[in-house]
Each structure stands twice: as C-alpha cells, then as structure tokens.
C-alpha cells in the first residue's frame, strides 16, 4: 500500500559522509585555502566560521541585476528556530503559513514561505538551483520547508525579480536554499553545534516538552592550488511540544430565519464549541555533502542531500455539540422558534481522538560543471530528486452518546440547548444550567462510537537536465546567454480516508458486537486547566497506545477490496521544457557610474497526464479518469540596474511570468470529509483538470544606499497584474438550519492585482558610538505594505471582489542587535498582518488574523573556539494561529479552520565548538 521508504539510506548516508569528511579534515595536509583566501580567512571571532560565506551572500545581493534578499541560517546561538521556514520570515516581504489539514499549526513551526504575501504556490523552490519535488501534499506547488534544518542549509536567497535565465513559473519569485561548499569558507574547519530546548506550555501541563539537536559539519580545501574542496554536514534533532486551541464546532447559523450569515454577519449564533489539546514529537535528521573542483578553466561539482522529517502528532478534542439524537424531538423545526429566532436544542458531550503522524523525506543528487574559455563558457548539469510524504499512522476515535435536553430520561421534546457567550473573543463560553453542567461534566459518558485508521502516501521523482552557453564581450554587449531545460516528474499516491477502515462499537445509539467503553475507563490523564481557564467538561488525554491497540485488534487493514484501493489511487507524469536567451548591455560612464540592462525571453512548455478516481453525486458514475493537459507560456523580461557613485543603486524590472496549477488541483481522487461523531457528509473536494495557469505582468522599481560600515537602506515599489487567479471556494447545498454539504473545487477567477511598497534598513553605530563598547549596537528592520485584489465568479450571477488569499496588507520586522568583543545579542520582532484564508458563499469569508512574535538571543564567546548561546522564542506568548469568520476578531472560526491556538514559549541553550 505504501512506497518503500528512503529511510534506510538516511542514517548510513549521514554516517558515511561524516566518516569520510573526518578522514579528510584530519589528514594533516597543509591547507591551501589559507593562502588562496587569506583576505577572508578570519572574522572578529574564530567561532563565526560562516563569516566568509555570509559576506559572499551579501556580495551576491549587491552584484545582482534584479532584486534579491539573502539571509544566513546557521547561527543557532542566537536563533531558536530549527527549521528553515521560521528563519526565512526575517527577510523583507516574506511571510509563512502551515498545512492546517494535518494539524500543522499545532507544532509551532512554519511550513511554507510566501514572498510579499502571495500564495505559496506562486514561488519556484530550488535547492542549490535544483527544482524540488513536492513532499507536502495539498493543493499547492509549495514545498514544506520544515523538512530542512539550519544545520545543513547555509543560506536562503529570495529572488523577487528572476530574469529569463530562471524558472518563469514564479510570479512571486524564486526561493533557493543554499548548502555550503568548502569554497564558502576562508579555511578548513570542523564544527559541532549542540542545543537543548524546553517548551513551556507542554511542561506547564505536565507533558513532554524537552528536546535537543546536534550538528556536525566540516570543510577542507586540498590540492596543489586549493582547487579541490569538500564539505559535509550531518544533524539530528528531536523535541517535544504541546498546543492548545479553542474553536466552534460548526459554521455559524443566521440568528434570524431566512437570512444567511453572510447577508447579516452581525446577527449570527454560534453552534457548538470544542477544546483541543495536541502533543507533538518532531524528529528531523539529515546529511549533505559537496565535492568541488575549481580552476581558471574548469569547474566541476557534485552535491548530495538527504533530509527526513517526522512529526508524531496526537490530538484530544473535547466538545459540546448542539444536537438531538434518537428519541429526542426538537420543538423548533429547522432550529428556529415561532418568532423566527434560532434556538438550538440538545447538549451532547463528545470526545474525538486523532493521530496525524507525518513522515517527509527527500534525497537529491546533482552533477555538473562549467568549461570557461576566454570569451565562451558552457555549463551542463543533471539532477535527480525523490520526495515522499507518508502518513503511516492516521487514527481517529469518536465518542458519542445521548444529548442532555432537560427532560426525565433525556427523552421526548427538548427543553434545553447550548448557548454560547462570545463576549470574550478568544474564549467562547458555554452557558449551562446546573443540571446540564453536571450531566456534561461526567466522563462516564459518552461511550466510544468507533475507531478508524486512514492511509495515505505521495511520492514524486524528478529528473532534470540543464545546459547553457555564455559569450562575454568587452564593449556595450557584455554578455549573451542562451540555454534550456528538460524536467520530468513522476508522481504516485494513495489516499484512503472514506471510512473503509472503521470499526463501530455497540452503544446506546448504535448496534455492534463489542460494547464501547466510556471515556472514564480509558487510560490517560485529565488536565487541571486549559488556556488559563476551566472548561465545563474535563479534558481527558487518552493514551495513544490504547487507540493503537484497538486499531490492531479491530481494523482489518489488509482486507481492503481492490475497488476501495482504486478510489484512492493516483498516478501521473508531468514534463516541463524550457529555452531562454538573455543579453547584458553595460554602459560605463566616467562620473555617473555603470548601467546594466538585461533583456531576455523564455519559453516553457508543460504537459501532464494522470489517472485518478472521480465521482459525482451519483455513485453509479464513480470511475477512473484518464486526464491530460498541455499548455505553454512565453515570458519576456527586462532587468536593469544603475550603480551610481557614492554607494547608490537603482534597480528596475518588467517581466512576464506564470504559475502552474498544483498537480492535486488538476488531478486526484475525490475526497470526502464526514462528521467525526455523526458520520454525516460535511464536504466533498474535487480536482479541476481544466484549470488554466495563472499569468502575470510584474513591475518593480527600487533604490538602495550602502556604506562599508554595515549601514544600508532600501526602498522598492512593485505592481503585479494577474490573470486567471485560482480561487479556493466553498459551495453549499441544502437549506434551513443545516447548511448542507460543502463542495470544494478550485477554479480560475477573472483577474487580480497587487501593488505595494517595501523598505528595509540596517544601521550599526560603529564609529558613531560615544564609547567603544557601544559601537557594537545597531538596529535594523523592514516593512512591506501592499493592497491586493482579485475578482472571481462564484456562480452564474454572482461576481465578487476580495483580497488575494494569503496576502497580508502589512509585513514587518524590527531588530536590535549587538556585536562587540565576546558578546553578540539580537532582539527580533516579527509581525504578519491579517490574511484572507478562504472564500465562502453563504458564510462570511474566513481570515487568519495578524500574528506577532518577539524573539531574543544572546551569545558569549567563552574562548576563541567555544561559544555559549541562550535564546527564547515567542517571549510574549502570542497565539501561533488565529482564524476568524469575517475580517474582525469578533467571531472565532470553526474546527478545521483552526480557531485560536497557542503553542507557548520555547527556551534554548546551545554550545558551538570549532576546531
């Protein structure tokens, strides 16, 4: 049922790389790099061995014709973030998000990176220039960057204005993860980094909350002229944490009969409430290596990377539901009383247990080289990458019983229902009578209704070949470049989540063979408090082992029919070909600096074929579909830069680009979501093989000023004109008190636009300081302010305009730093503004509210080779995720949209040792 794991390769590969590097590093040969790169051999502190690499990244930013931003990622002394996505949001205009479908927000880590707030699939993701396979699933081409660790990735380069020599399917830009090479450092070294972390929310609740990581890397230059270089890194991380969230159970109901919540969002009634507690254990390990040969005439390289991410996630959900069961009657047909006001009846205490374990894996190799003649150079490279997303354990268990209705025996015409007070926007409060409170407060009810397991995996193998030829001139025509690309991705997947692997127990409401046990009889513990409050129903954390034992005993995993397996199968192939040509025109003046103009054109051809299961409302129509699609795109571009005297630089860009629909949006099985307790159909999600690619014209203009004393300022304006924007929408059927089934299917909107201003600066006191010790202080920051708009069509007669999904109006960072003598410190504040989460039809649109984070790091060099670091993340204990119905914070969102979630603070101690 699942693809063989790459895991057997992981630890042997890591060990082999470390051993081979150790033998080279301690071979005792003189280090030619000491002479070759003497000017960058040392930094102010021998421990900061990335100083040379960091300067090279900054130099790349300054030398670029277009607009790029870089950040160095390996400084674990000052940063407690141990995944790449969390570090990327330091950059101007970069925000992050998570996959809420797999409880991603509960880890406290970011997964996906947005450039200027655009949908994460608008980016092209590369690792050392290699386009990565998708290992995150979902309806996006985004790459889940929590797979990557700062122990192996040396820097992140965000190119916001890629030219014709880079991938054109990058409306927002290109995100390139850089692994170090031996040529990035001034001398050979061996370095060990060790850290320990504590998650305060988990520890306060008596849960596992400790963790740690170790990383070892080493670099060596050798050969008569230092022409050979080898770099290897290996790391292992394991840490535990917890999260708490509160949300509504179901979408809001219109308070007045005949209206919809969207028509009158100020008059809605909450429907049910739930409290969620999550336990997480994250394991991340991997290895990377590079071997380079560099001479004046020839460069050769080999790269290998392995990365593994495991998240063991357990969720316990306690809830109060507005519902009636068999033998109970609603005096208000459709939920509305005689005056037309919504009056819910019945209070059903419920519990839901969920395991959402995730395994992600990536292995990649690259080989290539460049021959460099006097004027002509030729580069060739080939690469292979294999990515995998697996959910080997995805279990659920539901507990449901008889609702409290305030009558003898809880039968007959209901007298009481659940009312929810929303006056505290972050803490919906159930209003209960004393008898109702006593009823729902007992863990002797309800009984277990079912236990279920699901299975899913997704794999993608990507093969890429690239080639280019350059000609360099001495006059105005400084460079001509042409090249091409061929890329093929093979994808396979399986999803079984339709209830086929469910076992039902005997309860007061359902027939079965084995009686379902009440919640009180399960092993586990009960929380004393929750989010600083008391809940009307105790929150029981059921033992994970108890549910896993039930799955093993009652669920026949091997007994699935071929028909059921077919419904979840997916296979497909996608091919992309590209050719490009660019020219660089250079105009040098005696007094006005240098102007470079780079016109270019790129053509890309895309073809995909797929086989997947699809169905309509009629089961008789369920069948395999063979789908195919092809489209091409021609993208001209012009990039220009004026490097004026005195440290001033002006950059401008006009370019065409596009964004391919995600494979899952084009092809895949139809999936259903059912109520965890009642098994009623909630939603159906389908692909749309007729989706068109989003296309855009992009315009950027920016000015920057730099000095040699770590002082600079940048400001840029941008505008994007979008066509065929893919809009996530929800359409409901049914009427009355129940909205009915929600159908999700992506489709192309009518168009959209985005315009914004982006500014950043960094100022170190240095020689301006009144005292020497104060010269290490400095400040920095960046801010992006933008307006976005998209027009789309919900139905034949309904056209609507809103923001672009996931695009905040404001993104901001501010930092106060110090670096003098043995002490380094950094105080970093990040704000990501409110974003549109999902577009609805009868409900108000769902929004992710603005999020804030304050982080502190302090490092002290105990010797020239040993540095101690202390760091804290989310010092002010802000929410990690906060979704609402409507743009204001008045109405907290329901269930899977996330609600209000906190993961607490993280404290870290680290030690960096360099030899």
């Amino acid at each position: 049922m699942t693809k063989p794991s790459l895991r057997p390769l992981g630890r042997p590969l890591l060990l082999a790389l470390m051993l081979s590097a150790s033998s080279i590093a301690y071979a005792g040969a003189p280090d030619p790099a000491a002479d070759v790169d003497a000017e960058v051999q040392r930094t102010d502190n021998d421990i900061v061995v990335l100083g040379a690499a960091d300067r090279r990244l900054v130099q790349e930013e300054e030398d670029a014709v277009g607009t790029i931003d870089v950040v160095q990622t390996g400084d674990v002394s000052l940063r407690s973030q141990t995944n790449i996505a969390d570090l990327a949001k330091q950059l101007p205009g970069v925000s992050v998000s998570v996959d809420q479908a797999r409880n991603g927000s509960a880890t406290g880590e970011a997964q996906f990176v947005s450039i200027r707030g655009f949908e994460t699939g608008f980016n092209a993701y590369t690792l050392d220039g290699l386009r990565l396979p998708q290992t995150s699933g979902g309806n996006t081409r985004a790459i889940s960057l929590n797979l990557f660790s700062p122990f192996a990735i040396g820097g992140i380069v965000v190119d916001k204005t890629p030219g014709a020599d880079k991938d054109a399917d990058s409306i927002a830009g290109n995100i390139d993860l850089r692994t170090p090479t031996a040529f990035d450092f001034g001398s050979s070294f061996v370095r060990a980094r060790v850290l320990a972390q504590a998650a305060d929310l988990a520890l306060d609740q008596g849960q596992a909350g400790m963790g740690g990581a170790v990383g070892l890397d080493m670099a060596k230059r050798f050969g008569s002229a230092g022409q050979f270089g080898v770099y290897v890194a290996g790391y292992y991380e394991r840490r535990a944490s917890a999260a708490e969230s509160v949300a509504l159970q179901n979408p809001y109901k219109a308070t007045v009969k005949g209206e919809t919540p969207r028509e009158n969002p100020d008059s809605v009634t909450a429907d049910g409430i739930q409290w969620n507690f999550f336990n997480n254990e994250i394991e991340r390990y991997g290895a990377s290596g590079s071997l380079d040969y560099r001479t004046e005439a020839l460069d050769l390289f080999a790269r290998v990377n392995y990365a593994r991410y495991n998240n063991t996630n357990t969720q316990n959900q306690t809830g109060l539901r507005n519902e009636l069961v068999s033998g109970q009657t609603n005096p208000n047909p459709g939920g509305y009383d005689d005056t037309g006001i919504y009056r819910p009846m019945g209070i059903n205490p419920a519990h839901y247990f969920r395991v959402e374990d995730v395994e992600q894996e990536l292995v990649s190799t690259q080989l290539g080289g460049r021959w460099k003649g006097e004027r002509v150079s030729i580069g060739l490279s080939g690469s292979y990458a294999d990515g995998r997303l697996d959910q080997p354990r995805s279990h659920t268990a539901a507990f449901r019983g008889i609702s409290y209705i305030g009558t003898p025996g809880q039968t007959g015409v209901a007298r009481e229902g659940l009312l929810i007070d929303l006056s505290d926007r972050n803490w919906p409060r159930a209003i209960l009578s004393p008898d109702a409170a006593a009823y729902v407060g007992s863990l002797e009810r309800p009984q277990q209704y079912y236990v279920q397991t699901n299975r899913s995996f997704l794999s993608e193998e990507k093969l890429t070949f690239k080639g280019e030829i350059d000609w360099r001139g001495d006059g105005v025509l400084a460079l001509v470049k042409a090249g091409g690309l061929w890329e093929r991705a093979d994808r396979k997947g399986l999803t079984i989540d339709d209830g086929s692997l469910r076992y039902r127990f005997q309860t007061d409401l359902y027939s079965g063979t084995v009686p379902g046990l009440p919640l009180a009889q399960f092993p586990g513990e009960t929380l004393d408090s929750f989010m600083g409050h008391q809940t009307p129903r105790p929150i029981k954390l059921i033992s994970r082992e108890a549910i896993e034992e039930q799955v093993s005993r009652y669920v026949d995993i091997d007994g699935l029919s071929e028909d059921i397996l077919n419904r979840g199968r997916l296979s497909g192939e996608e091919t992309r070909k590209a050719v490009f040509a660019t020219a660089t025109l250079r105009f040098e003046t005696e007094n006005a600096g240098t102007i470079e103009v780079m016109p270019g054109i790129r053509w890309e051809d895309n073809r995909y074929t797929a086989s997947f299961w699809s169905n309509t409302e009629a089961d008789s129509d369920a069948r395999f579909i063979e789908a195919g699609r092809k489209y091409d795109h021609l993208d001209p571009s012009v990039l220009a830069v004026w490097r004026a005297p005195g440290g001033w630089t002006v950059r401008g860009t006009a370019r065409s680009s596009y964004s391919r629909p995600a494979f899952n949006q084009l092809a895949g099985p139809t999936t259903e979501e059912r109520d965890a307790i009642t098994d009623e159909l909630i939603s159906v999600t389908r692909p749309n093989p007729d989706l068109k690619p989003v296309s855009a014209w992009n315009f950027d203009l920016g000015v920057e000023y730099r000095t040699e004393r770590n002082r600079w300022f940048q400001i840029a304006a941008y505008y994007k004109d979008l066509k065929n924007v893919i809009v996530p929408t929800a359409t409901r059927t049914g009427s009355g008190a129940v909205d009915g089934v929600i159908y999700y299917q992506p489709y192309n909107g009518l168009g959209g636009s985005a315009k914004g201003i982006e500014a950043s600066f960094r100022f170190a006191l240095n020689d301006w300081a009144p005292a020497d010790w104060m010269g290490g202080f400095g400040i920095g920051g960046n801010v992006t302010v933008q307006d976005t708009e998209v027009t789309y069509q919900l139905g034949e007669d309904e056209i609507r305009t809103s923001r672009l999904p996931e695009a905040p109006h404001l993104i901001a960072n501010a930092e106060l730093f110090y670096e003098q003598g043995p002490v380094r410190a950094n105080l970093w504040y990040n704000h990501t503004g409110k974003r549109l989460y999902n577009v609805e039809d009868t409900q108000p649109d769902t929004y992710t509210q603005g999020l804030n984070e304050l982080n502190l790091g302090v490092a002290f060099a105990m010797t020239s080779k040993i540095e101690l670091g202390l760091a804290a993340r989310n010092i002010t204990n802000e929410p990690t995720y906060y979704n609402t119905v409507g743009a204001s914070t008045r109405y907290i969102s329901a269930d899977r949209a996330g609600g209000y979630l906190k993961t607490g603070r993280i404290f870290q101690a680290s030690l960096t040792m360099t030899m």
Side-chain angles (χ1 to χ4, degrees):
M1 290 175 58
T2 60
K3 179 184 175 182
S5 169
L6 302 175
R7 188 170 190 169
L9 295 174
R11 287 173 177 153
L13 175 62
L14 187 154
L15 181 61
L17 285 172
M18 286 186 169
L19 291 176
S20 62
S22 298
S23 64
I24 294 173
Y26 291 103
D31 185 9
D35 297 324
V36 175
D37 287 339
E39 74 278 7
V40 295
Q41 183 175 350
R42 295 186 62 84
T43 63
D44 292 338
N45 188 323
D46 284 357
I47 294 166
V48 189
V49 296
L50 280 175
D54 194 24
R55 281 194 293 275
R56 283 187 172 90
L57 287 173
V58 172
Q59 192 65 47
E60 180 179 353
E61 182 177 346
E62 295 177 4
D63 293 344
V65 178
T67 302
I68 70 171
D69 293 306
V70 300
V71 63
Q72 181 255 341
T73 59
D75 191 354
V76 298
S77 296
L78 295 182
R79 305 296 189 195
S80 60
Q81 293 82 0
T82 54
N83 97 41
I84 290 300
D86 282 314
L87 293 167
K89 63 184 181 182
Q90 301 172 70
L91 292 170
V94 170
S95 58
V96 297
S97 58
V98 297
D99 177 10
Q100 184 60 15
R102 295 181 176 89
N103 290 341
S105 59
T107 66
E109 291 190 345
Q111 286 180 268
F112 305 110
V113 171
S114 301
I115 300 175
R116 292 169 172 169
F118 285 96
E119 199 273 321
T120 53
F122 282 13
N123 307 328
Y125 297 82
T126 56
L127 175 65
D128 296 322
L130 163 67
R131 196 66 178 263
L132 290 169
Q134 184 177 325
T135 58
S136 57
N139 295 320
T140 178
R141 287 189 182 272
I143 301 298
S144 181
L145 296 186
N146 59 6
L147 183 64
F148 299 100
S149 168
F151 288 106
I153 302 298
I156 305 170
V157 178
V158 175
D159 189 343
K160 297 172 180 176
T161 58
D165 57 341
K166 296 184 179 179
D167 292 323
D169 60 327
S170 54
I171 291 175
N174 180 284
I175 297 174
D176 189 31
L177 309 181
R178 301 284 180 85
T179 60
T181 74
F183 290 86
D184 291 331
F185 306 98
S187 63
S188 299
F189 71 91
V190 177
R191 176 176 56 175
R193 290 169 286 180
V194 182
L195 61 86
Q197 288 191 343
D200 74 334
L201 188 152
L203 296 175
D204 288 347
Q205 290 286 23
Q207 306 297 304
M210 300 299 294
V214 58
L216 175 65
D217 63 338
M218 49 197 75
K220 178 70 176 178
R221 295 272 296 277
F222 57 98
S224 58
Q227 69 270 35
F228 291 96
V230 63
Y231 172 85
V232 295
Y235 61 93
Y236 182 85
E237 175 190 359
R238 189 166 188 166
R239 66 178 185 85
S241 64
E244 300 172 324
S245 77
V246 60
L248 295 189
Q249 183 65 48
N250 297 306
Y252 287 88
K253 303 298 188 293
T255 302
V256 179
K257 187 176 182 179
E259 297 181 343
T260 68
R262 188 176 190 91
E263 292 170 342
N264 191 355
D266 294 325
S267 178
V268 297
T269 300
D271 185 3
I273 188 173
Q274 61 179 230
W275 305 272
N276 299 281
F277 193 86
F278 306 86
N279 294 91
N280 306 284
E281 185 177 279
I282 290 176
E283 183 184 41
R284 193 169 11 232
Y285 59 88
S288 65
S290 66
L291 177 64
D292 291 87
Y293 171 81
R294 298 185 184 182
T295 66
E296 186 175 339
L298 182 65
D299 291 347
L300 299 173
F301 70 87
R303 307 274 187 271
V304 59
N305 288 277
Y306 175 81
R308 171 81 179 219
Y309 170 86
N310 302 323
N311 178 22
T312 303
N313 177 278
T314 306
Q315 173 188 0
N316 277 275
Q317 178 189 105
T318 297
L320 297 178
R321 304 166 66 96
N322 279 325
E323 65 182 11
L324 300 175
V325 299
S326 177
Q328 298 175 340
T329 304
N330 193 337
N332 304 320
Y336 290 86
D337 63 17
D338 293 339
T339 65
I341 300 299
Y342 186 68
R343 303 289 186 193
M345 286 293 171
I347 310 169
N348 199 338
H351 192 92
Y352 179 56
F353 175 93
R354 181 178 168 205
V355 166
E356 286 283 4
D357 291 359
V358 173
E359 296 179 359
Q360 294 183 65
E361 200 163 27
L362 173 71
V363 62
S364 67
T365 59
Q366 300 181 66
L367 296 171
R370 177 174 288 274
W371 172 81
K372 297 173 288 185
E374 183 177 350
R375 289 188 178 275
V376 177
S377 66
I378 300 174
L380 296 172
S381 66
S383 59
Y384 169 82
D386 189 352
R388 178 181 66 88
L389 170 69
D390 195 0
Q391 286 198 268
R393 292 166 299 279
S394 180
H395 311 318
T396 57
F399 296 75
R400 181 171 182 257
I402 297 174
S403 299
Y404 175 86
I405 59 173
T407 65
Q410 309 307 325
T411 60
V413 178
R415 299 175 184 171
E416 292 188 41
L418 177 63
L419 298 178
I420 298 175
D421 177 8
L422 297 174
S423 58
D424 185 337
R425 300 184 178 191
N426 301 333
W427 186 253
R429 185 174 63 89
I431 301 175
L432 303 169
S433 68
D435 288 342
Y439 185 91
V440 304
S442 172
L443 293 182
E444 292 300 328
R445 62 178 68 88
Q447 296 172 272
Q448 186 178 5
Y449 166 36
Y450 68 75
V451 64
Q452 176 178 320
T453 191
N454 302 316
R455 287 291 184 267
S456 70
F457 82 85
L458 176 67
S459 69
E460 184 172 289
E461 296 180 85
K462 192 180 290 287
L463 188 64
T464 307
F465 295 98
K466 293 182 178 181
E468 67 177 41
I469 182 170
D470 304 349
W471 176 87
R472 294 185 178 274
D474 296 327
V476 172
L477 185 59
L479 177 66
V480 176
K481 182 188 296 187
L485 168 149
W486 181 88
E487 175 186 278
R488 188 185 72 191
D490 294 302
R491 170 173 287 215
K492 294 180 180 179
L494 174 68
T495 301
I496 301 173
D497 59 2
D498 60 355
S500 302
L501 295 173
R502 173 179 293 184
Y503 181 85
R504 290 176 173 82
F505 294 95
Q506 177 187 351
T507 72
D508 293 336
L509 298 173
Y510 302 98
S511 60
T513 304
V514 178
L517 298 177
L519 200 60
Q521 294 186 28
F522 276 79
E525 56 187 300
T526 303
L527 298 180
D528 295 329
S529 65
F530 187 86
M531 300 187 87
H533 298 270
Q534 296 297 318
T535 56
R537 178 170 171 78
I539 297 177
K540 176 73 175 282
L541 305 184
I542 298 176
S543 164
R544 178 186 174 110
E545 289 73 18
I547 301 300
E548 290 179 337
E549 192 277 333
Q550 285 189 337
V551 171
S552 176
R553 178 184 298 183
Y554 298 117
V555 180
D556 184 10
I557 298 176
D558 298 324
L560 289 175
S561 67
E562 192 67 17
D563 179 67
I564 292 175
L565 291 172
N566 284 340
R567 292 173 181 268
R569 284 182 172 136
L570 164 70
S571 63
E573 179 182 296
E574 190 171 30
T575 303
R576 183 167 65 103
K577 294 176 288 186
V579 293
F580 73 87
T582 67
T584 300
L585 308 177
R586 182 177 293 121
F587 305 90
E588 297 185 2
T589 65
E590 185 174 346
N591 299 316
T594 302
I595 297 175
E596 291 184 20
V597 181
M598 191 177 79
I601 191 164
R602 186 180 184 94
W603 175 79
E604 293 194 359
D605 177 76
N606 298 270
R607 299 169 185 264
Y608 88 92
T609 58
S611 174
F612 60 95
W613 189 265
S614 181
N615 71 302
T616 63
E617 289 89 339
D619 291 338
S620 60
D621 291 337
R623 65 201 184 280
F624 266 113
I625 290 180
E626 301 292 333
R629 182 74 187 278
K630 61 180 180 179
Y631 50 87
D632 59 5
H633 217 263
L634 185 66
D635 295 293
S637 61
V638 178
L639 283 67
V641 58
W642 173 31
R643 295 185 173 90
W648 290 92
T649 302
V650 180
R651 289 183 172 88
T653 303
R655 67 185 182 96
S656 170
S657 61
Y658 74 107
S659 178
R660 294 179 289 169
F663 201 98
N664 285 16
Q665 291 178 319
L666 294 167
T670 298
T671 60
E672 297 179 349
E673 180 185 5
R674 294 185 175 274
D675 188 282
I677 305 298
T678 66
D679 199 36
E680 293 178 355
L681 184 62
I682 298 175
S683 67
V684 176
T685 302
R686 299 169 177 158
N688 183 354
D690 296 323
L691 282 175
K692 303 173 185 177
V694 184
S695 60
W697 269 99
N698 313 269
F699 304 93
D700 291 74
L701 180 64
V703 178
E704 67 181 61
Y705 172 76
R706 291 179 181 270
T707 75
E708 296 180 355
R709 302 292 294 173
N710 198 13
R711 300 166 185 157
W712 49 263
F713 171 78
Q714 298 173 319
I715 187 168
Y718 59 89
Y719 177 80
K720 296 179 184 289
D721 183 30
L722 306 169
K723 305 294 183 185
N724 299 319
V725 176
I726 297 174
V727 183
T729 60
T731 303
R732 290 169 171 79
T733 64
S735 59
V738 180
D739 284 335
V741 179
I742 308 171
Y743 289 90
Y744 292 99
Q745 186 174 38
Y747 66 94
N748 293 107
L750 302 179
S753 65
K755 54 182 179 291
I757 296 177
E758 192 171 84
S760 61
F761 78 99
R762 187 174 179 87
F763 181 86
L765 279 179
N766 294 326
D767 53 327
W768 287 18
D772 289 344
W773 68 270
M774 297 178 64
F777 279 106
I779 57 174
N782 55 73
V783 61
T784 300
V785 180
Q786 67 179 0
D787 286 317
T788 66
E789 183 179 277
V790 60
T791 302
Y792 50 92
Q793 193 164 3
L794 277 178
E796 292 183 2
D797 301 320
E798 184 177 2
I799 295 177
R800 191 183 300 168
T801 298
S802 73
R803 299 182 183 184
L804 275 170
E806 295 297 331
H809 176 68
L810 175 66
I811 307 170
N813 286 281
E815 66 171 339
L816 172 67
F817 60 88
Y818 182 83
E819 186 170 352
Q820 185 87 347
V823 178
R824 298 189 299 134
N826 186 282
L827 182 66
W828 167 34
Y829 168 79
N830 172 265
H831 171 79
T832 301
K834 180 167 50 186
R835 294 164 282 172
L836 175 65
Y837 177 79
N838 201 33
V839 177
E840 305 281 349
D841 58 347
T842 61
Q843 290 279 317
D845 295 339
T846 308
Y847 284 81
T848 300
Q849 293 295 320
L851 299 174
N852 304 294
E853 187 176 275
L854 182 65
N855 308 299
L856 174 66
V858 179
F860 177 76
M862 303 168 65
T863 72
S864 64
K865 304 295 185 182
I866 301 176
E867 184 176 62
L868 173 67
L870 299 173
R873 182 161 81 245
N874 192 21
I875 296 172
T876 54
N877 197 25
E878 299 291 327
T880 306
Y881 201 72
Y882 184 14
N883 271 18
T884 60
V885 173
S888 75
T889 59
R890 181 175 180 180
Y891 297 119
I892 195 170
S893 71
D895 198 7
R896 281 303 183 95
Y900 182 82
L901 182 143
K902 302 187 77 170
T903 56
R905 306 174 182 89
I906 301 293
F907 300 98
Q908 174 180 292
S910 66
L911 196 65
T912 298
M913 298 162 286
T914 307
M915 294 176 283

